[in-house]
Amino acid sequence: MKEKLISRLKMLMEKNNMTAAELSRKSGIRASSISDYLTGKYEPKQDKIDRLAQALNVSPAWLMGYEHKRCIPSNIITPGAIPIPILGEICAGDGVYGEENFKGMFFIDQSVKADYCLIVHGDSMIDAGIYDGDIAFLQKDFELIDGEIYAVVFGAEDSATLKQLYRDGKTVILQPCNKEYKPIIVDYVDLYVVGLLVGVYHKID
């Protein structure tokens, strides 16, 4: 995402013949900070991305590297979009990465019954069509069903991961969808299910 943001920020500034000083005046962000973003020294936080996007007349999602869907004919009616909070990042690897912080809003079809979403890191769920950098949409109220994919937190260090879940007596099997990864077995009492996966948004490289 960082490389896409830098590339698109540079492209828009060149297209609009805009200097860092001019973008600073329009966005209210210091010119030195904008220069740091352009060189990759620092990555802008979500509130700065929102201000840059507004100043450049694009959406924050597009500036961050996500593609808009292709326009469809006007005679096709689509459901309205609703904002879903991006609440952080989650591992789809060995289950040791988890971060919680607000990263902005993602607008999505209201037919997707999600309460929040997380950015996926890792490749342990690629056979389920979930890839590194995807956005996973989660529902916080759900029924626990074997074989469904959940975001879970487990262990003394509160490791977080996205896996298929199977109950086995007093333990739970967290099953990856990639033959290169082994299942993770944890005690049921040490497991906290954060949400049920109800959708995934793929980036277009």
Side-chain angles (χ1 to χ4, degrees), residues 159-201:
S159 298
T161 190
L162 192 68
K163 295 288 185 291
Q164 279 186 324
L165 188 151
Y166 295 93
R167 289 169 291 184
D168 184 17
K170 294 183 179 180
T171 61
V172 176
I173 301 170
L174 306 177
Q175 181 67 47
C177 294
N178 181 340
K179 63 182 180 181
E180 300 298 323
Y181 289 83
K182 295 180 179 180
I184 301 170
I185 301 175
V186 299
D187 290 334
Y188 189 81
V189 294
D190 293 331
L191 182 76
Y192 173 63
V193 181
V194 178
L196 167 68
L197 182 74
V198 294
V200 177
Y201 183 90

Side-chain angles (χ1 to χ4, degrees), residues 31-204:
S32 60
S33 295
I34 293 173
S35 296
D36 288 339
Y37 303 155
L38 291 169
T39 60
K41 184 177 180 180
Y42 297 111
E43 187 171 354
K45 294 186 180 298
Q46 187 62 47
D47 64 319
K48 299 296 192 300
I49 292 174
D50 293 343
R51 287 159 65 180
L52 289 169
Q54 184 177 11
L56 293 165
N57 199 29
V58 295
S59 72
W62 186 88
L63 189 59
M64 291 166 66
Y66 297 100
E67 299 289 348
H68 295 306
K69 293 182 179 179
R70 183 179 298 174
C71 294
I72 60 175
S74 59
N75 62 323
I76 296 178
I77 299 173
T78 59
I82 56 173
I84 303 293
I86 305 173
L87 295 186
E89 303 174 355
I90 192 166
C91 174
D94 54 12
V96 297
Y97 184 93
E99 177 184 340
E100 290 185 14
N101 63 18
F102 178 70
K103 294 182 176 292
M105 305 296 289
F106 192 98
F107 283 81
I108 192 169
D109 221 82
Q110 62 182 355
S111 62
V112 179
K113 304 302 182 183
D115 297 302
Y116 61 95
C117 53
L118 298 169
I119 300 172
V120 176
H121 284 280
D123 61 357
S124 74
M125 298 299 289
I126 58 174
D127 290 339
I130 304 170
Y131 298 89
D132 185 63
D134 283 355
I135 296 180
F137 294 91
L138 299 161
Q139 195 175 79
K140 64 181 180 180
D141 296 320
F142 51 83
E143 180 181 354
L144 206 58
I145 301 173
D146 284 355
E148 293 287 348
I149 297 174
Y150 298 88
V152 300
V153 176
F154 63 92
E157 297 181 358
D158 286 340
S159 298
T161 190
L162 192 68
K163 295 288 185 291
Q164 279 186 324
L165 188 151
Y166 295 93
R167 289 169 291 184
D168 184 17
K170 294 183 179 180
T171 61
V172 176
I173 301 170
L174 306 177
Q175 181 67 47
C177 294
N178 181 340
K179 63 182 180 181
E180 300 298 323
Y181 289 83
K182 295 180 179 180
I184 301 170
I185 301 175
V186 299
D187 290 334
Y188 189 81
V189 294
D190 293 331
L191 182 76
Y192 173 63
V193 181
V194 178
L196 167 68
L197 182 74
V198 294
V200 177
Y201 183 90
H202 301 288
K203 288 197 302 183
I204 301 175

Side-chain angles (χ1 to χ4, degrees), residues 5-6 9-10 13 18-42 44 48 52 55-56:
L5 188 149
I6 294 171
L9 186 55
K10 287 180 178 178
M13 291 176 67
M18 185 181 295
T19 65
E22 290 170 331
L23 183 54
S24 173
R25 286 193 294 271
K26 291 192 69 175
S27 66
I29 300 171
R30 289 184 301 178
S32 60
S33 295
I34 293 173
S35 296
D36 288 339
Y37 303 155
L38 291 169
T39 60
K41 184 177 180 180
Y42 297 111
K48 299 296 192 300
L52 289 169
L56 293 165

